[in-house]
């Protein structure tokens, strides 16, 4: 069969003589598989703490009707997991490759990708599923294109995508995933049902980590789950990755020290030395501690993060904390613009000293 021109608007019909591999790719052995993938939810109902979205999608699966979708929210809140769970509930493995196109828009975000790869797949018309497939999955009469990190698509690419959505809605549904919905052009966003994914509460993260630890037979020190949750800041993917990295380093025993080592955060004892000098108002001591931290290879942004966390938890007055937070924000901007780390951190340290002095 001759190749179909990429810019043709005529639908491409899948026939038996087309060389299209629909055999699902086997997963890697569980011993080498990332835990993020190994323990990814298998159904939309299993995605943690996104009840409204999962209920809506469950109803759509039962009705066999699905609009274009837009998932947005912070990283690690279940957007991609929800999308993949949805596709696996809609289509059996034998139809997956012919019905689902997964793309990361941050890798392929140009106009040519939309015009060629996406449009070509959208042009495909699907054949009737077998009775066996219909007995196990809904197999709706449309394909699904998943565009992860779609907020990185250029404006021209988004405009072209809008036209493709309009002209291929009978046989194709689009699922856009992004962190910042404001970066999706309005004509494109208005064509999708929008679902906001909220940051995960600590209970959801701790519960998932406990499930994984039980399955992997890990011996977890008390307080480790809470520490990982604090470091991940509601990002489930980051939390699970930290747990696996700790296991790779120290085997089945997971301690707080190992978690801190794998997370890349500055050890508490190093930051406490700096805080001691700041509370005491000792400028020379602050110089020494900041110099030691930078000499130890810690970046200015990590030092600022650790310092701001300790200030928020300290007994400094609310006004002083507010001034420090403003100063930290300004300092981060200066670091991004190429400011000298030592000078920037010393400036913030002076503000912290002032806050403690006024509190006392």
């Amino acid at each position: 069969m001759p190749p179909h021109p990429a810019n043709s608007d005529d639908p491409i019909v899948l026939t038996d003589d087309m060389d299209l591999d629909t055999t699902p790719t086997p997963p890697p052995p569980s011993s080498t598989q990332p835990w993020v993938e190994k323990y990814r939810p298998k159904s939309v109902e299993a995605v943690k703490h996104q009840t409204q979205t999962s209920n809506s999608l469950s109803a759509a699966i039962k009705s066999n009707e699905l609009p274009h979708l837009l998932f947005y929210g912070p990283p690690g809140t279940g957007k991609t997991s929800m999308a993949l769970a949805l596709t696996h509930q809609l289509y059996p493995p034998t139809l997956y490759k012919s019905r689902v196109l997964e793309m990361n828009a941050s890798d392929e975000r140009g106009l040519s990708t939309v015009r060629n790869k996406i449009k070509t797949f959208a042009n495909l018309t699907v054949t009737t599923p077998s009775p066996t497939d219909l007995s196990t999955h809904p197999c709706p009469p449309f394909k699904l294109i998943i565009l992860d990190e779609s907020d990185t698509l250029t404006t021209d690419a988004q405009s072209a995508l809008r036209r493709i959505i309009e002209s291929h809605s009978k046989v194709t549904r689009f699922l856009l995933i992004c962190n910042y919905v404001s970066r999706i052009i309005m004509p494109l966003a208005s064509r999708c049902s929008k679902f906001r994914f909220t940051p995960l509460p600590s209970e959801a993260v701790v519960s998932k980590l406990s499930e994984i630890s039980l399955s992997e037979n890990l011996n977890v020190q008390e307080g480790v789950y809470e520490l990982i949750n604090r470091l991940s800041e509601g990002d489930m993917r980051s939390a699970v990755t930290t747990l696996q990295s700790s296991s790779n380093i120290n085997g089945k025993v997971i301690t707080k020290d190992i978690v801190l080592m794998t997370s890349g955060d500055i050890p508490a004892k190093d930051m406490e030395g700096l805080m001691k000098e700041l509370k005491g108002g000792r400028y020379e001591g602050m110089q020494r501690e900041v110099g030691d931290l930078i000499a130890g290879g810690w970046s200015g942004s990590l030092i600022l993060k650790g310092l701001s966390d300790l200030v928020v938890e300290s007994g400094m007055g609310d006004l002083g904390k507010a001034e420090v937070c403003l100063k930290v924000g300004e300092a981060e901007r200066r670091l991004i613009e190429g400011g000298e780390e030592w000078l920037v951190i010393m400036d913030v340290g002076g503000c912290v000293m002032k806050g403690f002095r006024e509190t006392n």
Side-chain angles (χ1 to χ4, degrees), residues 194-221:
K194 292 181 279 293
F195 292 94
R196 177 175 177 266
F197 284 67
T198 57
L200 299 176
S202 58
E203 296 80 8
V205 176
V206 170
S207 173
K208 186 66 175 181
L209 294 178
S210 300
E211 293 174 11
I212 295 175
S213 298
L214 184 62
S215 177
E216 298 290 335
N217 297 317
L218 301 181
N219 181 8
V220 181
Q221 183 185 59

mmCIF file of all heavy atoms in Angstrom, residues 194-221:
data_model
loop_
_atom_site.group_PDB
_atom_site.id
_atom_site.type_symbol
_atom_site.label_atom_id
_atom_site.label_comp_id
_atom_site.label_asym_id
_atom_site.label_seq_id
_atom_site.Cartn_x
_atom_site.Cartn_y
_atom_site.Cartn_z
ATOM 1 N N LYS A 194 -12.298 21.282 31.199
ATOM 2 C CA LYS A 194 -11.110 21.505 32.024
ATOM 3 C C LYS A 194 -11.274 20.854 33.397
ATOM 4 O O LYS A 194 -12.318 20.974 34.035
ATOM 5 C CB LYS A 194 -10.847 23.010 32.165
ATOM 6 C CG LYS A 194 -10.423 23.662 30.855
ATOM 7 C CD LYS A 194 -10.140 25.140 31.015
ATOM 8 C CE LYS A 194 -11.407 25.952 31.007
ATOM 9 N NZ LYS A 194 -12.082 25.944 29.703
ATOM 10 N N PHE A 195 -10.211 20.189 33.836
ATOM 11 C CA PHE A 195 -10.178 19.558 35.150
ATOM 12 C C PHE A 195 -8.912 20.011 35.873
ATOM 13 O O PHE A 195 -7.804 19.817 35.369
ATOM 14 C CB PHE A 195 -10.192 18.033 35.043
ATOM 15 C CG PHE A 195 -11.483 17.476 34.515
ATOM 16 C CD1 PHE A 195 -11.636 17.206 33.161
ATOM 17 C CD2 PHE A 195 -12.552 17.233 35.364
ATOM 18 C CE1 PHE A 195 -12.823 16.701 32.663
ATOM 19 C CE2 PHE A 195 -13.746 16.729 34.882
ATOM 20 C CZ PHE A 195 -13.887 16.462 33.528
ATOM 21 N N ARG A 196 -9.101 20.600 37.041
ATOM 22 C CA ARG A 196 -7.966 21.080 37.829
ATOM 23 C C ARG A 196 -7.541 20.012 38.834
ATOM 24 O O ARG A 196 -8.373 19.472 39.572
ATOM 25 C CB ARG A 196 -8.334 22.365 38.573
ATOM 26 C CG ARG A 196 -7.225 22.893 39.467
ATOM 27 C CD ARG A 196 -7.598 24.229 40.087
ATOM 28 N NE ARG A 196 -6.560 24.704 40.989
ATOM 29 C CZ ARG A 196 -6.554 24.497 42.298
ATOM 30 N NH1 ARG A 196 -7.556 23.830 42.863
ATOM 31 N NH2 ARG A 196 -5.571 24.953 43.050
ATOM 32 N N PHE A 197 -6.252 19.716 38.846
ATOM 33 C CA PHE A 197 -5.690 18.745 39.784
ATOM 34 C C PHE A 197 -5.039 19.519 40.931
ATOM 35 O O PHE A 197 -4.130 20.320 40.712
ATOM 36 C CB PHE A 197 -4.665 17.847 39.090
ATOM 37 C CG PHE A 197 -5.287 16.791 38.218
ATOM 38 C CD1 PHE A 197 -5.982 17.140 37.070
ATOM 39 C CD2 PHE A 197 -5.192 15.454 38.557
ATOM 40 C CE1 PHE A 197 -6.572 16.174 36.267
ATOM 41 C CE2 PHE A 197 -5.774 14.479 37.764
ATOM 42 C CZ PHE A 197 -6.470 14.838 36.615
ATOM 43 N N THR A 198 -5.528 19.281 42.129
ATOM 44 C CA THR A 198 -5.061 20.029 43.293
ATOM 45 C C THR A 198 -3.859 19.335 43.934
ATOM 46 O O THR A 198 -3.688 18.119 43.791
ATOM 47 C CB THR A 198 -6.186 20.151 44.332
ATOM 48 O OG1 THR A 198 -6.638 18.830 44.686
ATOM 49 C CG2 THR A 198 -7.361 20.929 43.755
ATOM 50 N N PRO A 199 -3.021 20.094 44.640
ATOM 51 C CA PRO A 199 -1.889 19.472 45.348
ATOM 52 C C PRO A 199 -2.370 18.396 46.313
ATOM 53 O O PRO A 199 -3.427 18.525 46.937
ATOM 54 C CB PRO A 199 -1.256 20.653 46.097
ATOM 55 C CG PRO A 199 -1.660 21.862 45.317
ATOM 56 C CD PRO A 199 -3.032 21.560 44.776
ATOM 57 N N LEU A 200 -1.597 17.344 46.431
ATOM 58 C CA LEU A 200 -2.009 16.216 47.259
ATOM 59 C C LEU A 200 -1.778 16.513 48.735
ATOM 60 O O LEU A 200 -0.722 17.033 49.115
ATOM 61 C CB LEU A 200 -1.220 14.967 46.865
ATOM 62 C CG LEU A 200 -1.401 14.500 45.417
ATOM 63 C CD1 LEU A 200 -0.489 13.314 45.129
ATOM 64 C CD2 LEU A 200 -2.844 14.132 45.141
ATOM 65 N N PRO A 201 -2.736 16.186 49.593
ATOM 66 C CA PRO A 201 -2.529 16.356 51.034
ATOM 67 C C PRO A 201 -1.529 15.338 51.553
ATOM 68 O O PRO A 201 -1.268 14.310 50.914
ATOM 69 C CB PRO A 201 -3.927 16.124 51.618
ATOM 70 C CG PRO A 201 -4.598 15.219 50.641
ATOM 71 C CD PRO A 201 -4.062 15.612 49.286
ATOM 72 N N SER A 202 -0.987 15.618 52.708
ATOM 73 C CA SER A 202 0.037 14.729 53.268
ATOM 74 C C SER A 202 -0.501 13.319 53.487
ATOM 75 O O SER A 202 0.233 12.335 53.315
ATOM 76 C CB SER A 202 0.557 15.306 54.587
ATOM 77 O OG SER A 202 -0.506 15.482 55.515
ATOM 78 N N GLU A 203 -1.791 13.205 53.827
ATOM 79 C CA GLU A 203 -2.357 11.881 54.078
ATOM 80 C C GLU A 203 -2.296 11.002 52.825
ATOM 81 O O GLU A 203 -2.008 9.799 52.900
ATOM 82 C CB GLU A 203 -3.809 11.991 54.551
ATOM 83 C CG GLU A 203 -3.994 12.691 55.884
ATOM 84 C CD GLU A 203 -3.951 14.202 55.761
ATOM 85 O OE1 GLU A 203 -3.929 14.706 54.610
ATOM 86 O OE2 GLU A 203 -3.914 14.885 56.796
ATOM 87 N N ALA A 204 -2.564 11.598 51.666
ATOM 88 C CA ALA A 204 -2.549 10.830 50.419
ATOM 89 C C ALA A 204 -1.137 10.369 50.076
ATOM 90 O O ALA A 204 -0.924 9.224 49.645
ATOM 91 C CB ALA A 204 -3.126 11.674 49.281
ATOM 92 N N VAL A 205 -0.158 11.250 50.268
ATOM 93 C CA VAL A 205 1.233 10.895 49.960
ATOM 94 C C VAL A 205 1.727 9.810 50.913
ATOM 95 O O VAL A 205 2.321 8.806 50.488
ATOM 96 C CB VAL A 205 2.134 12.140 50.041
ATOM 97 C CG1 VAL A 205 3.597 11.760 49.809
ATOM 98 C CG2 VAL A 205 1.701 13.187 49.025
ATOM 99 N N VAL A 206 1.473 9.996 52.205
ATOM 100 C CA VAL A 206 1.924 9.013 53.201
ATOM 101 C C VAL A 206 1.259 7.663 52.963
ATOM 102 O O VAL A 206 1.898 6.607 53.074
ATOM 103 C CB VAL A 206 1.631 9.531 54.627
ATOM 104 C CG1 VAL A 206 1.853 8.429 55.659
ATOM 105 C CG2 VAL A 206 2.504 10.738 54.938
ATOM 106 N N SER A 207 -0.019 7.678 52.607
ATOM 107 C CA SER A 207 -0.734 6.428 52.348
ATOM 108 C C SER A 207 -0.115 5.668 51.176
ATOM 109 O O SER A 207 0.090 4.448 51.246
ATOM 110 C CB SER A 207 -2.209 6.724 52.066
ATOM 111 O OG SER A 207 -2.891 5.563 51.655
ATOM 112 N N LYS A 208 0.206 6.383 50.104
ATOM 113 C CA LYS A 208 0.803 5.733 48.934
ATOM 114 C C LYS A 208 2.190 5.195 49.255
ATOM 115 O O LYS A 208 2.544 4.070 48.855
ATOM 116 C CB LYS A 208 0.882 6.734 47.780
ATOM 117 C CG LYS A 208 1.347 6.126 46.461
ATOM 118 C CD LYS A 208 0.333 5.138 45.925
ATOM 119 C CE LYS A 208 0.723 4.613 44.554
ATOM 120 N NZ LYS A 208 -0.283 3.657 44.023
ATOM 121 N N LEU A 209 2.979 5.966 49.983
ATOM 122 C CA LEU A 209 4.319 5.507 50.355
ATOM 123 C C LEU A 209 4.241 4.268 51.243
ATOM 124 O O LEU A 209 5.067 3.353 51.122
ATOM 125 C CB LEU A 209 5.073 6.625 51.076
ATOM 126 C CG LEU A 209 5.410 7.873 50.242
ATOM 127 C CD1 LEU A 209 6.103 8.916 51.111
ATOM 128 C CD2 LEU A 209 6.283 7.515 49.046
ATOM 129 N N SER A 210 3.251 4.228 52.117
ATOM 130 C CA SER A 210 3.076 3.060 52.987
ATOM 131 C C SER A 210 2.733 1.821 52.166
ATOM 132 O O SER A 210 3.248 0.723 52.429
ATOM 133 C CB SER A 210 1.978 3.328 54.021
ATOM 134 O OG SER A 210 2.294 4.433 54.831
ATOM 135 N N GLU A 211 1.865 1.983 51.175
ATOM 136 C CA GLU A 211 1.495 0.860 50.311
ATOM 137 C C GLU A 211 2.716 0.315 49.573
ATOM 138 O O GLU A 211 2.917 -0.901 49.484
ATOM 139 C CB GLU A 211 0.435 1.306 49.301
ATOM 140 C CG GLU A 211 -0.911 1.652 49.902
ATOM 141 C CD GLU A 211 -1.870 2.215 48.861
ATOM 142 O OE1 GLU A 211 -1.542 2.129 47.650
ATOM 143 O OE2 GLU A 211 -2.925 2.745 49.244
ATOM 144 N N ILE A 212 3.528 1.218 49.045
ATOM 145 C CA ILE A 212 4.711 0.788 48.296
ATOM 146 C C ILE A 212 5.708 0.092 49.226
ATOM 147 O O ILE A 212 6.281 -0.947 48.883
ATOM 148 C CB ILE A 212 5.366 1.997 47.601
ATOM 149 C CG1 ILE A 212 4.424 2.565 46.535
ATOM 150 C CG2 ILE A 212 6.703 1.608 46.976
ATOM 151 C CD1 ILE A 212 4.927 3.837 45.884
ATOM 152 N N SER A 213 5.909 0.662 50.413
ATOM 153 C CA SER A 213 6.851 0.069 51.366
ATOM 154 C C SER A 213 6.417 -1.332 51.769
ATOM 155 O O SER A 213 7.247 -2.247 51.900
ATOM 156 C CB SER A 213 6.965 0.958 52.609
ATOM 157 O OG SER A 213 7.468 2.230 52.268
ATOM 158 N N LEU A 214 5.128 -1.517 51.963
ATOM 159 C CA LEU A 214 4.610 -2.837 52.323
ATOM 160 C C LEU A 214 4.828 -3.828 51.184
ATOM 161 O O LEU A 214 5.236 -4.976 51.404
ATOM 162 C CB LEU A 214 3.122 -2.727 52.663
ATOM 163 C CG LEU A 214 2.433 -4.002 53.156
ATOM 164 C CD1 LEU A 214 3.066 -4.471 54.463
ATOM 165 C CD2 LEU A 214 0.936 -3.770 53.348
ATOM 166 N N SER A 215 4.582 -3.375 49.961
ATOM 167 C CA SER A 215 4.752 -4.255 48.804
ATOM 168 C C SER A 215 6.219 -4.606 48.567
ATOM 169 O O SER A 215 6.537 -5.724 48.145
ATOM 170 C CB SER A 215 4.171 -3.580 47.560
ATOM 171 O OG SER A 215 4.369 -4.360 46.410
ATOM 172 N N GLU A 216 7.121 -3.663 48.849
ATOM 173 C CA GLU A 216 8.553 -3.881 48.611
ATOM 174 C C GLU A 216 9.287 -4.406 49.843
ATOM 175 O O GLU A 216 10.514 -4.556 49.813
ATOM 176 C CB GLU A 216 9.206 -2.567 48.163
ATOM 177 C CG GLU A 216 8.672 -2.012 46.856
ATOM 178 C CD GLU A 216 9.068 -2.856 45.655
ATOM 179 O OE1 GLU A 216 10.100 -3.563 45.746
ATOM 180 O OE2 GLU A 216 8.355 -2.814 44.635
ATOM 181 N N ASN A 217 8.544 -4.668 50.930
ATOM 182 C CA ASN A 217 9.130 -5.198 52.174
ATOM 183 C C ASN A 217 10.227 -4.280 52.726
ATOM 184 O O ASN A 217 11.314 -4.732 53.105
ATOM 185 C CB ASN A 217 9.699 -6.609 51.951
ATOM 186 C CG ASN A 217 8.630 -7.613 51.578
ATOM 187 O OD1 ASN A 217 7.548 -7.623 52.167
ATOM 188 N ND2 ASN A 217 8.917 -8.453 50.593
ATOM 189 N N LEU A 218 9.932 -2.986 52.768
ATOM 190 C CA LEU A 218 10.905 -2.026 53.280
ATOM 191 C C LEU A 218 10.753 -1.857 54.786
ATOM 192 O O LEU A 218 9.643 -1.921 55.329
ATOM 193 C CB LEU A 218 10.718 -0.665 52.597
ATOM 194 C CG LEU A 218 10.860 -0.616 51.075
ATOM 195 C CD1 LEU A 218 10.659 0.810 50.576
ATOM 196 C CD2 LEU A 218 12.218 -1.145 50.635
ATOM 197 N N ASN A 219 11.872 -1.635 55.445
ATOM 198 C CA ASN A 219 11.886 -1.325 56.879
ATOM 199 C C ASN A 219 12.098 0.185 57.002
ATOM 200 O O ASN A 219 13.216 0.679 56.864
ATOM 201 C CB ASN A 219 13.010 -2.097 57.576
ATOM 202 C CG ASN A 219 13.052 -1.829 59.074
ATOM 203 O OD1 ASN A 219 12.157 -1.181 59.628
ATOM 204 N ND2 ASN A 219 14.097 -2.308 59.731
ATOM 205 N N VAL A 220 11.016 0.904 57.251
ATOM 206 C CA VAL A 220 11.046 2.366 57.197
ATOM 207 C C VAL A 220 11.086 2.943 58.606
ATOM 208 O O VAL A 220 10.244 2.622 59.452
ATOM 209 C CB VAL A 220 9.814 2.908 56.438
ATOM 210 C CG1 VAL A 220 9.854 4.427 56.367
ATOM 211 C CG2 VAL A 220 9.762 2.319 55.032
ATOM 212 N N GLN A 221 12.070 3.803 58.848
ATOM 213 C CA GLN A 221 12.215 4.454 60.149
ATOM 214 C C GLN A 221 11.039 5.401 60.408
ATOM 215 O O GLN A 221 10.478 5.994 59.484
ATOM 216 C CB GLN A 221 13.533 5.234 60.176
ATOM 217 C CG GLN A 221 13.855 5.900 61.497
ATOM 218 C CD GLN A 221 15.110 6.753 61.393
ATOM 219 O OE1 GLN A 221 15.173 7.672 60.590
ATOM 220 N NE2 GLN A 221 16.115 6.424 62.198
#
